Amino acid sequence: MAEAMTKQCGTVKWFNTQKGYGFITLLDTGAEVFVHQTAIHAEGFRSLQEGETVEFNLEDSEDGRTKAIDVTGPEGAFVQGAVKRYSYNKGGEGVEGGGGRGKGRGRGRGRGGRGRGRGQNSAPPAAEGAEGAEGGAAIMAMIGTEAAAPSQPVSTEVSA
């Protein structure tokens, strides 16, 4: 692995923050070199901003390709890094694809769902033929509580 002693200068062509790699265009030759996030000198999350000016060394990798290593900002400073996007389509905390409704890990609050087990605190199956308010009273009587009496419908007719 042969490293160049002098730092090269270039601009970031593109960088994929989710996959952790991208390409840098050399200022002097216009050639493109691969860069991986592990080679970036940054505070916190290691990424590059498209169009950012960077300094780096070149290294020939084992597969014969040239890649950027020791990637810094101008004069050895930390790189700027990619702008953190607030996306609300992937669950999480609102940064880099966070927010949203989650990924289906909740129990839900509606009807249906996982059903009830047959432990000591579960309700017995509904009585056959029990329907409507009477069925609710029959079920409540089975588990030992009283059901509220159904309310009488209110007349909407106006007396003359």
Side-chain angles (χ1 to χ4, degrees):
M1 295 189 190
E3 286 186 36
M5 292 307 225
T6 59
K7 282 223 172 194
Q8 302 285 323
C9 289
T11 58
V12 178
K13 181 174 182 180
W14 62 267
F15 190 85
N16 185 324
T17 56
Q18 291 181 341
K19 295 188 177 187
Y21 70 88
F23 286 88
I24 299 173
T25 304
L26 278 74
L27 291 180
D28 55 353
T29 65
E32 293 178 3
V33 292
F34 176 82
V35 60
H36 191 262
Q37 58 91 10
T38 57
I40 298 172
H41 178 64
E43 262 183 329
F45 187 70
R46 294 184 300 242
S47 65
L48 298 172
Q49 175 70 38
E50 188 174 321
E52 178 180 0
T53 302
V54 291
E55 294 179 354
F56 52 92
N57 290 321
L58 293 176
E59 177 182 82
D60 291 327
S61 62
E62 295 167 0
D63 62 1
R65 297 179 185 172
T66 303
K67 65 180 180 179
I69 60 168
D70 303 324
V71 181
T72 66
E75 300 178 14
F78 290 122
V79 295
Q80 293 173 4
V83 176
K84 297 206 182 225
R85 288 184 238 149
Y86 288 86
S87 174
Y88 298 101
N89 61 353
K90 288 191 177 177
E93 295 299 319
V95 177
E96 288 293 323
R101 297 178 71 183
K103 294 185 179 179
R105 293 189 177 109
R107 295 286 191 255
R109 300 289 183 259
R111 299 178 70 138
R114 296 178 175 249
R116 292 188 153 171
R118 293 288 172 221
Q120 69 185 42
N121 293 331
S122 63
E128 288 196 30
E131 296 179 23
E134 294 82 21
I139 291 172
M140 296 309 248
M142 289 176 151
I143 59 174
T145 59
E146 286 190 32
S151 60
Q152 297 297 322
V154 178
S155 174
T156 56
E157 295 179 17
V158 178
S159 311

